[in-house]
Every structure is written in structure tokens, then in C-alpha cells.
Amino acid sequence: MSKILTVSKPSDYSSFIGQTDSHELISVINYSELSPVPYSLNRYEVYGLFLQGGDESIDLKYGTGKYDYADGTLICVAPGQIGGKEDDGTLVNLSGWALLFHPDILQGTGLEKDIKNFTFFDYRINEALHMSEEERDIMIRLFRQIRTELKFPADTMQNRIIVGFINLLLRYAQRFYNRQFVSRTIINNDILTRFEKLLKDYFEEERQLKYGVLTVQYCSEQLNMSPSYLSDVIKKATGDTANHHIKQYMMQLAKNRLVSGMSSSEVAYSLGFDYPQHFSRSFKKITGETPSEYRDRRAIE
């Protein structure tokens, strides 16, 4: 049975590796000051950003996969996720940084709602951010600024100042991810090609009759990536979301089948819909017409 450390608050992790925190809702860790530290497989109930800082390369698990955690890599985790490496009694030298913060510190701030828009918290296998030296330096400066603020006596403004730094750090991370999407054009084009082939094969092999309506979740599992990462890659490559891309493809198939003489109900079931009315609503949302309106219009053209 795996030994899992439940990180219900930042200090659960920081105290495990030998650091005492001054704030109950946030912890900034400079690993070079604490190393060597034990491994830990963590169940997170907090947000965390882990920045690798040295030449060491460590295989860290996330779910059933692994991160390529090398120099300049940033890994982001969110409440409900499990990641790390199980404590086996050995110690490892690290020289990077970590920031852990409890969702409660965001209460009453704009970031409380906005944090859901930082989709990189839902990325997983081989989807970490690989930064340049300049990008890494920017992130470290922000880690240091948060830690400096934590050294001041607590007052009514401290949490808001800290959240401001967290917000800035996350926006830089988003900027650097956007750069990574662009700089990895060849890789992203390969993902798009595989995604489009998956759409074609799904319906040609009639998998919808077994699995139902095609979803982003299914596609991401087949392509071995998180739904959020797949959606962001498709968005960057095509300007459209993966979900809308799938629906557009399905509705084009629906149009072909309606024109061929199939009834609306037959088309619905042939595409994996359980109920014809669900198909009709989806068709009208995409095309602006009901299936019968589309068929009738095409019949008189």
C-alpha cells in the first residue's frame, strides 16, 4: 500500500521536509536551504507550484504517468490531485522552489473565481512548463518577493499583497505556456493530426454505438493527455475549442446523413445520442436550424 502524505494545508508538506512556516495559508520553499529532503507522494488539498532549479532529473509520478521534471520545469497542482514520489527512506538534493497556498487565502479576491481559468492546473503527463533561463529568473524573483512579504508582521493588507503576487506569478506562467505552445508548433501539429484522425476513426469504426457521443475526455484519454491540455493545444492551433471542433465534425456527418434520407432519429442514434431531442438541440446550436428545417431546405435547393 502506498504511503501518501495528505497536504490539507501548506505546513503539512513544508514541515515534512523540515521547514517551519509563519503563515497558515501559504508556504514558500527554497529547497537549497533544506536539502537533502525526503521524497513524498502527496494528496493535495492546496494549490502548488514546483520549480526545478538544478541539474538533477527526477521521475515524479502524477496519476498513472510521470513528469519529466528537469531543470527549468514548472509543475502546477490543484486540490484533489495526487503527485510526487513515494518516500522510500532515501534523501534527494534539490535546489528549486515551491509555493503552496490554501484556497482560503483567495476568498473575497478576484483570483478566487479567476483561478479556474488557469487551465494548466489540470495538465498532467508530460505537460509541465519548460522555461527558458530568463523565464525561470522571473518566477524565482516572484517566489522571493512572496517570501519577503511573509517576513513582515501580519496586517490587514498582507494577504491581499500576497494574492497579488500569486496572481502575477500565475499570469506569467500562462504567458510562458502560451510561448511554449507556439515554440512547439511541430509537436502541436502532430497532436492536431492525431486528434483529427481519432475523430475520423471513431465514426468510421462506429465506436459511438458502444461508447456514445464522442467527448473531449475520451479523445484526451486516447491521446494520453489531460482534457485541458488537449483543449488548449487545439485552441492555439485552430482558434476553436476541442469540444466545438468535435461538434462541428459530428454535425457535418449529420448533414450528410439527413440529405441521404435518414430520419432525424436515425441520425441521432447513429451518432451515439441516447435521445433524438438532445441531437436536435445540438444540431440547431451549431447550424442555426433544426434537422428537419435543414433537410427541407436542402430538398428544395
Side-chain angles (χ1 to χ4, degrees):
M1 184 176 179
S2 297
K3 294 187 293 183
I4 298 180
L5 174 66
T6 298
V7 184
S8 58
K9 54 186 183 299
S11 61
D12 291 330
Y13 176 74
S14 54
S15 62
F16 178 79
I17 62 173
Q19 174 169 295
T20 301
D21 292 335
S22 59
H23 196 298
E24 64 178 353
L25 298 179
I26 186 168
S27 175
V28 179
I29 297 166
N30 183 350
Y31 284 108
S32 62
E33 297 176 350
L34 303 170
S35 290
V37 298
Y39 290 115
S40 63
L41 181 60
N42 308 317
R43 178 184 289 109
Y44 295 99
E45 295 177 9
V46 301
Y47 290 97
L49 293 89
F50 297 86
L51 174 62
Q52 176 72 335
D55 297 327
E56 65 272 13
S57 183
I58 305 169
D59 289 332
L60 295 181
K61 293 182 178 179
Y62 181 97
T64 58
K66 293 183 178 181
Y67 276 118
D68 176 18
Y69 191 38
D71 189 20
T73 300
L74 181 72
I75 293 174
C76 304
V77 300
Q81 298 175 354
I82 296 176
K85 185 173 183 179
E86 187 174 345
D87 179 16
D88 59 2
T90 62
L91 300 177
V92 60
N93 285 300
L94 298 177
S95 57
W97 290 74
L99 169 69
L100 295 95
F101 59 95
H102 195 280
D104 284 355
I105 200 172
L106 307 181
Q107 287 182 357
T109 70
L111 190 55
E112 182 179 13
K113 293 181 179 179
D114 200 32
I115 197 166
K116 68 179 182 296
N117 296 320
F118 294 103
T119 53
F120 50 75
F121 278 113
D122 293 322
Y123 293 173
R124 54 182 175 88
I125 306 168
N126 296 326
E127 299 165 357
L129 174 60
H130 301 277
M131 294 181 290
S132 68
E133 185 175 347
E134 289 183 350
E135 291 170 346
R136 180 176 167 274
D137 288 343
I138 290 172
M139 301 298 274
I140 291 176
R141 285 200 296 271
L142 288 169
F143 280 119
R144 291 186 185 277
Q145 286 182 290
I146 296 172
R147 190 167 73 157
T148 297
E149 178 59 36
L150 289 171
K151 294 178 180 179
F152 294 138
D155 58 27
T156 57
M157 293 300 297
Q158 186 178 62
N159 280 3
R160 288 193 174 274
I161 290 172
I162 289 172
V163 171
F165 281 130
I166 294 173
N167 188 27
L168 185 58
L169 193 152
L170 297 181
R171 293 189 185 280
Y172 269 114
Q174 187 65 72
R175 169 186 278 182
F176 299 154
Y177 255 117
N178 290 342
R179 183 272 310 157
Q180 181 165 290
F181 281 126
V182 172
S183 63
R184 295 189 172 191
T185 301
I186 295 176
I187 295 174
N188 293 342
N189 286 343
D190 177 65
I191 292 173
L192 178 60
T193 299
R194 291 162 56 206
F195 173 66
E196 291 179 338
K197 184 177 186 302
L198 179 59
L199 298 187
K200 181 173 178 289
D201 291 347
Y202 190 83
F203 292 101
E204 285 190 353
E205 297 171 8
E206 297 189 330
R207 299 182 206 172
Q208 73 276 16
L209 302 182
K210 179 178 180 180
Y211 300 110
V213 174
L214 183 60
T215 64
V216 176
Q217 179 70 40
Y218 177 89
C219 292
S220 66
E221 290 173 355
Q222 297 301 305
L223 297 173
N224 198 29
M225 62 186 64
S226 67
S228 293
Y229 192 82
L230 174 61
S231 294
D232 287 347
V233 167
I234 300 303
K235 180 74 171 179
K236 293 295 180 183
T238 68
D240 208 352
T241 66
N243 186 50
H244 195 257
H245 206 76
I246 291 171
K247 289 182 177 178
Q248 288 275 22
Y249 188 89
M250 291 174 58
M251 293 311 111
Q252 186 57 53
L253 291 179
K255 288 178 180 180
N256 296 340
R257 294 177 186 186
L258 287 168
V259 171
S260 72
M262 292 178 67
S263 70
S264 179
S265 294
E266 289 173 331
V267 174
Y269 294 130
S270 76
L271 293 176
F273 286 89
D274 291 327
Y275 304 101
Q277 57 268 36
H278 291 172
F279 162 66
S280 295
R281 284 199 294 269
S282 185
F283 188 91
K284 185 170 185 178
K285 187 174 182 180
I286 295 295
T287 68
E289 301 175 290
T290 66
S292 58
E293 288 171 343
Y294 174 79
R295 183 176 54 242
D296 293 345
R297 179 174 61 80
R298 288 299 306 273
I300 61 175
E301 287 181 349

